[in-house]
Amino acid sequence: MEVLKIATAGSVDDGKSTLIGRLLYDTKSLTDDKLEAIEHSSKKKGYDYLDFSLATDGLVAEREQGITIDVAHIYFSTKTRSYIIADTPGHVEYTRNMVTGASTSQVAIILIDARRGVIEQTYRHFFINNLLRIKSVIVAVNKMDLVNFSEERYNEIKADFEKLVEKSDYEDQNITYIPVSALKGDNVVDKSDAMPWFGGQTLLEYLEKLDTVNIYNRGKMRFPVQYVIRPKTEEFHDFRGYAGKVYGGDINVGDEVVVLPSETRTKVKEIYFNDKKYQSAARRSSISITLENNVNVSRGDMIVKAKELPRIEKAFTATVSWMDGRPLLPGSKYTLQHGVNKVIAKVSAINHKIHPDFSGVENDVSSLNMNDIASVSFQLNKPIFFDAFKEHRTNGSFILIDQQTNNTAGVGFIE
Amino acid sequence: MTEKLLINALENEAIYIFREVAAQFEKPVLLFSGGKDSITLVRLAQKAFYPAKIPFPLMHIDTGHNFPETIEFRDKLVAELGLELIVRNVQDSIDQGKVKEESGRYSSRNVLQTTTLLDAIEEFKFDACIGGARRDEEKARAKERIFSVRDDFGQWDEKNQRPELFDMLNGQIQLGQNVRVFPISNWTELDVWTYIENEDLEIPSIYFAHKRDIFMRDGLIWSASEHVFKDDEEEVEERMVRFRTVGDMSCTAAVDSYAATIREVVAEIRDSSISERGARIDDKRSEAAMEKRKQQGYF
Ligand SMILES: Nc1nc2c(ncn2[C@@H]2O[C@H](COP(=O)(O)OP(=O)(O)OP(=O)(O)O)[C@@H](O)[C@H]2O)c(=O)[nH]1
Ligand SMILES: [Mg+2]
């Protein structure tokens, strides 16, 4: 079955976890024992309603503080499709976890508390969703029950958000507005009786109908080699299979390809998935292939079609989202992981910091701290084979690994 | 030759993860319990490396209180596929005085496994342990990364996890650390069962309905066995049951069932109003039971 991945966003207490709990409840995805646990905990906390956030806030510290700290992945399915929702934290301090949740998602739901309207965190989250090129964004104006389900208030918030959208340079983005009450269930799965003035779809109706096929610009076929399979058995004595995942377009037997970095030309001889051979494989398939000529290929190399070469360069500029407690400094070195390929990268310059509220940039920056977003130039010890992020989601992104702590310290989107 | 490959997104993601483990680590191991999730893992690993053999061993931490059907199944599978199997016993950790056997009504060896596991990791210097935990099982597990770093003491620092972006997996670790890897993180219980059905995988017989001596406690169906503590008042009866998970006998409750085939099992899971872990006695200990065990190095 088709899987749709969704990330939530919004400030602390806007109701993300509650909304997800409500989706689970109204689609009958909560089993009796889980529901009982929620009833029990809600009662213990003295609430006279069911606190659905308890369905997703899985850590003790989260339940104690009533906030989400780390991303939780929640699963449910309808007759139409399966859903994976990333419940991300709203707290500024945990913005990096929000970036993480959004990076693997196809759709974003940005929540706004109807009482507070569009606030700085809304700007920030919308900005991050743009940076990650999330094509479908749902703006859920939540807690409508606390503003008497007022159409006027909803329109005000919608107008404010539309002003934000005008500042965005991502023109293909689809934005949908829905007034909801996560707590009461209005317009989540079922239409709200309290808001007859709203003629649009409920959240679930919208998700069910979303076209998942054309969510991303496809980009060119890229086949990064993950692992070389050499069985050395009698039957497969000379077998050399190049295992990897296909990105972008299709790969076919007979395709003229180039192996990077050696730039050797050859043809695809066989495509295997498990013990079966295929004529063709599409993006996202984890296959292994053999080549016509006996060329030297190892992990980190990339196989591309002869007429579709990527950029092969040792220096580039990227937008970086910094996620580590140790600041990024000009001149410092990191392990740069681009797909499955690792090189050493030196920060040649921090060009400018980008304000995530669309208000412009700040020049003369000497370091990047956790949650900062900036334009950074890098110098590599050897070339990598990439596309701009806008043209290729996977081949245009990389992570930076701190060489001392081994932590994933930042993520970059190549310009 | 078949024309175009049709893909199952979850299966392809898992194969990708297996290949990352083989490429990024020196001494990986697949933790094998004999349950449906680890059987699924073995199948996925085979596919990831075909026509080569799975390039790492399996390891079973045997509590000594397993269902005999599971152990039989384990040995048969390993022999058929020509895999390497390491077994380490909780009984040895008890005999060495490293852990103390619990006693009384809810006694179980489930928690004791952690010590045996950590010792085995150190003994073999494993740097990556592949497991079949899934995020949909339990809400602390919903917070897990695919590559989850553990310190020298096997501990999980749940509030300070590495971000995982797109599908890039960072397996770099310091000496003494190791990584727990969860290739089927994004699968649900139903996904696993559907896969077992489609792939026609063999599974231990206790997953199917069978007659068993049981007794009732706290509304759960317990197996009557020498390994499970039972009061004299608790009456044993015979009933048609099956198991949804196969942990230790002392912490895995059965469910009423007449599902005798994989198709019937899938149908039953689809309609079930109780979660898989609803029948895990170890999780009933407290709301935070799983998180606590994970912090200490449990799977
Ligand atoms: N009245 C009302 N209260 C709501 C609604 N949605 C959420 N709440 C309440 O708002 C509070 C915060 O909800 P959460 O779901 O925990 O918020 P969150 O966005 O997940 O917060 P973080 O994860 O910490 O960023 C809880 O007390 C909810 O019960 C709503 O629609 N109406
Ligand atoms: Mg939350």
Side-chain angles (χ1 to χ4, degrees):
Chain A
M1 193 157 43
E2 234 188 307
V3 182
L4 186 67
K5 295 188 177 179
I6 308 165
T8 54
S11 189
V12 186
D13 281 354
D14 282 352
K16 298 176 289 297
S17 303
T18 308
L19 181 70
I20 293 172
R22 177 49 88 166
L23 267 173
L24 294 177
Y25 182 68
D26 285 351
T27 54
K28 316 263 179 304
S29 313
L30 284 174
T31 51
D32 291 352
D33 53 316
K34 287 186 180 163
L35 197 58
E36 230 170 76
I38 292 171
E39 280 166 3
H40 180 79
S41 308
S42 300
K43 214 178 277 165
K44 213 165 77 186
K45 290 194 160 181
Y47 300 154
D48 54 1
Y49 55 87
L50 292 181
D51 183 356
F52 290 112
S53 69
L54 297 170
T56 70
D57 284 336
L59 303 175
V60 176
E62 293 180 324
R63 288 192 297 274
E64 275 170 11
Q65 297 170 41
I67 60 164
T68 305
I69 293 175
D70 201 352
V71 185
H73 293 89
I74 312 296
Y75 304 78
F76 74 95
S77 48
T78 61
K79 289 204 177 72
T80 319
R81 51 174 62 135
S82 297
Y83 294 92
I84 305 180
I85 307 195
D87 182 16
T88 65
H91 203 285
V92 192
E93 194 187 323
Y94 305 118
T95 303
R96 62 184 190 146
N97 295 340
M98 193 246 137
V99 178
T100 307
S103 78
T104 51
S105 297
Q106 297 150 320
V107 183
I109 304 176
I110 299 181
L111 273 89
I112 296 176
D113 184 330
R115 295 169 303 176
R116 292 193 290 171
V118 174
I119 56 171
E120 202 199 315
Q121 251 334 50
T122 318
Y123 281 69
R124 186 179 263 274
H125 287 164
F126 181 57
F127 185 88
I128 290 171
N129 278 309
N130 281 357
L131 186 64
L132 287 157
R133 311 302 272 188
I134 305 274
K135 199 165 176 182
S136 296
V137 173
I138 301 163
V139 179
V141 180
N142 188 31
K143 307 199 184 182
M144 288 301 292
D145 54 305
L146 297 180
V147 295
N148 295 319
F149 300 103
S150 155
E151 180 179 10
E152 200 187 338
R153 180 65 186 140
Y154 166 75
N155 283 333
E156 250 170 51
I157 294 171
K158 187 174 165 200
D160 283 348
F161 201 95
E162 279 165 347
K163 276 185 223 139
L164 255 189
V165 176
E166 277 165 26
K167 297 187 192 172
S168 146
D169 66 343
Y170 186 14
E171 279 171 13
D172 292 341
Q173 200 168 38
N174 302 314
I175 299 176
T176 308
Y177 301 85
I178 308 176
V180 301
S181 168
L183 195 70
K184 306 255 152 77
D186 295 77
N187 289 338
V188 178
V189 170
D190 302 314
K191 274 224 163 30
S192 167
D193 292 334
M195 292 179 276
W197 47 264
F198 180 69
Q201 293 175 318
T202 68
L203 178 62
L204 187 70
E205 282 170 354
Y206 179 81
L207 295 173
E208 296 271 273
K209 294 202 184 107
L210 199 72
D211 168 19
T212 51
V213 180
N214 295 310
I215 269 183
Y216 298 129
N217 308 341
R218 280 299 167 70
K220 306 274 193 303
M221 195 286 291
R222 306 293 181 225
F223 187 72
V225 176
Q226 264 187 290
Y227 188 79
V228 181
I229 298 176
R230 298 221 52 189
K232 296 186 182 156
T233 55
E234 235 164 82
E235 190 188 348
F236 292 96
H237 192 75
D238 293 319
F239 185 94
R240 270 170 184 266
Y242 304 111
K245 188 149 107 181
V246 185
Y247 295 96
D250 291 359
I251 188 167
N252 310 286
V253 169
D255 279 349
E256 289 249 12
V257 293
V258 173
V259 180
L260 301 171
S262 68
E263 302 201 28
T264 330
R265 266 173 177 260
T266 177
K267 278 184 180 168
V268 177
K269 188 172 159 198
E270 298 159 305
I271 296 176
Y272 277 93
F273 181 79
N274 194 25
D275 55 357
K276 289 204 179 58
K277 290 188 204 175
Y278 294 85
Q279 188 62 41
S280 160
R283 54 193 275 279
R284 302 262 136 205
S285 357
S286 284
I287 54 170
S288 53
I289 64 172
T290 60
L291 299 174
E292 290 284 355
N293 307 27
N294 204 352
V295 288
N296 185 10
V297 184
S298 48
R299 174 173 166 89
D301 290 359
M302 185 180 281
I303 295 171
V304 301
K305 292 188 185 170
K307 293 205 178 89
E308 301 177 349
L309 291 191
R311 281 157 68 188
I312 305 168
E313 285 162 34
K314 269 178 82 165
F316 58 77
T317 298
T319 305
V320 168
S321 165
W322 197 244
M323 309 182 141
D324 203 38
R326 289 153 54 102
L328 174 137
L329 303 168
S332 48
K333 286 191 184 123
Y334 295 92
T335 300
L336 183 146
Q337 183 174 342
H338 172 241
V340 300
N341 188 20
K342 280 182 186 169
V343 295
I344 298 168
K346 190 172 133 187
V347 176
S348 36
I350 303 175
N351 305 316
H352 52 255
K353 213 149 93 176
I354 304 167
H355 295 305
D357 59 357
F358 298 94
S359 70
V361 303
E362 183 181 331
N363 295 307
D364 301 321
V365 186
S366 58
S367 71
L368 290 190
N369 294 316
M370 183 151 15
N371 299 324
D372 281 347
I373 296 170
S375 163
V376 180
S377 295
F378 295 93
Q379 196 78 46
L380 312 181
N381 69 330
K382 50 185 183 189
I384 58 168
F385 336 109
F386 63 89
D387 299 285
F389 183 72
K390 284 180 186 171
E391 272 129 47
H392 210 296
R393 232 175 124 75
T394 36
N395 204 38
S397 52
F398 60 85
I399 56 173
L400 294 166
I401 301 171
D402 185 307
Q403 293 186 323
Q404 259 147 47
T405 63
N406 291 321
N407 281 336
T408 303
V411 55
F413 310 95
I414 304 174
E415 282 165 17
Chain B
M1 190 161 25
T2 326
E3 278 303 291
K4 184 151 181 171
L5 170 64
L6 292 172
I7 66 160
N8 162 348
L10 293 171
E11 180 184 48
N12 279 268
E13 178 183 79
I15 292 173
Y16 169 84
I17 295 164
F18 267 113
R19 289 167 169 173
E20 281 305 286
V21 176
Q24 293 199 39
F25 296 94
E26 274 165 32
K27 278 213 86 175
V29 66
L30 193 158
L31 296 188
F32 185 80
S33 68
K36 63 177 193 314
D37 299 312
S38 42
I39 293 166
T40 301
L41 286 183
V42 171
R43 180 72 181 141
L44 291 164
Q46 277 184 298
K47 289 195 179 189
F49 302 107
Y50 178 87
K53 276 197 178 171
I54 299 175
F56 37 76
L58 313 190
M59 180 163 76
H60 183 214
I61 302 299
D62 191 341
T63 59
H65 290 177
N66 288 290
F67 293 95
E69 293 90 337
T70 315
I71 302 294
E72 246 168 64
F73 176 87
R74 173 196 80 187
D75 294 339
K76 191 169 147 239
L77 183 84
V78 166
E80 273 174 17
L81 302 182
L83 304 170
E84 186 193 335
L85 173 72
I86 298 167
V87 179
R88 284 295 173 268
N89 297 296
V90 171
Q91 187 62 50
D92 293 336
S93 306
I94 295 171
D95 294 345
Q96 290 158 12
K98 285 183 173 149
V99 291
K100 210 168 150 271
E101 183 102 73
E102 298 179 357
S103 60
R105 211 170 145 84
Y106 292 96
S107 61
S108 160
R109 286 186 168 182
N110 192 45
V111 178
L112 309 187
Q113 286 183 77
T114 303
T115 303
T116 317
L117 171 66
L118 297 183
D119 285 351
I121 292 173
E122 195 161 318
E123 176 188 349
F124 292 97
K125 303 271 178 282
F126 289 129
D127 52 3
C129 303
I130 305 158
R134 306 188 323 269
R135 288 168 175 162
D136 90 314
E137 274 179 81
E138 206 278 337
K139 57 188 175 192
R141 284 199 165 155
K143 302 276 171 179
E144 265 293 5
R145 296 295 188 262
I146 290 177
F147 274 16
S148 182
V149 182
R150 302 301 158 99
D151 64 16
D152 298 27
F153 304 99
Q155 288 186 330
W156 183 48
D157 185 0
E158 78 286 356
K159 288 192 281 289
N160 196 18
Q161 301 194 74
R162 281 184 188 170
E164 262 172 9
L165 296 132
F166 301 95
D167 57 6
M168 285 177 277
L169 296 169
N170 170 8
Q172 280 184 213
I173 47 173
Q174 251 107 313
L175 203 68
Q177 289 181 326
N178 63 73
V179 171
R180 302 285 171 92
V181 181
F182 304 109
I184 56 168
S185 279
N186 286 327
W187 297 43
T188 62
E189 184 187 16
L190 190 58
D191 291 326
V192 172
W193 282 113
T194 312
Y195 192 71
I196 290 172
E197 183 182 8
N198 293 343
E199 294 284 314
D200 205 10
L201 299 183
E202 235 186 287
I203 50 174
S205 56
I206 58 168
Y207 280 120
F208 299 111
H210 57 282
K211 280 203 185 115
R212 176 172 289 267
D213 285 340
I214 60 100
F215 65 93
M216 297 299 296
R217 180 193 295 164
D218 307 336
L220 296 173
I221 305 172
W222 298 58
S223 241
S225 142
E226 51 172 331
H227 300 313
V228 184
F229 179 93
K230 190 179 77 59
D231 280 337
D232 290 341
E233 302 91 77
E234 290 171 324
E235 263 174 53
V236 175
E237 57 178 304
E238 197 186 66
R239 210 143 132 178
M240 277 298 267
V241 297
R242 61 174 215 94
F243 292 89
R244 278 175 80 173
T245 68
V246 299
D248 221 26
M249 288 183 91
S250 59
C251 69
T252 314
V255 292
D256 284 314
S257 171
Y258 288 96
T261 64
I262 185 76
R263 173 154 295 174
E264 286 164 1
V265 169
V266 171
E268 192 185 279
I269 304 278
R270 194 168 276 140
D271 298 335
S272 171
S273 62
I274 296 285
S275 79
E276 171 180 5
R277 289 238 152 219
R280 283 298 284 252
I281 294 149
D282 43 344
D283 287 345
K284 299 247 155 170
R285 286 183 172 189
S286 87
E287 198 182 2
M290 173 66 85
E291 182 180 348
K292 265 188 223 149
R293 271 181 285 141
K294 283 176 72 67
Q295 285 165 350
Q296 285 151 9
Y298 180 79
F299 231 80

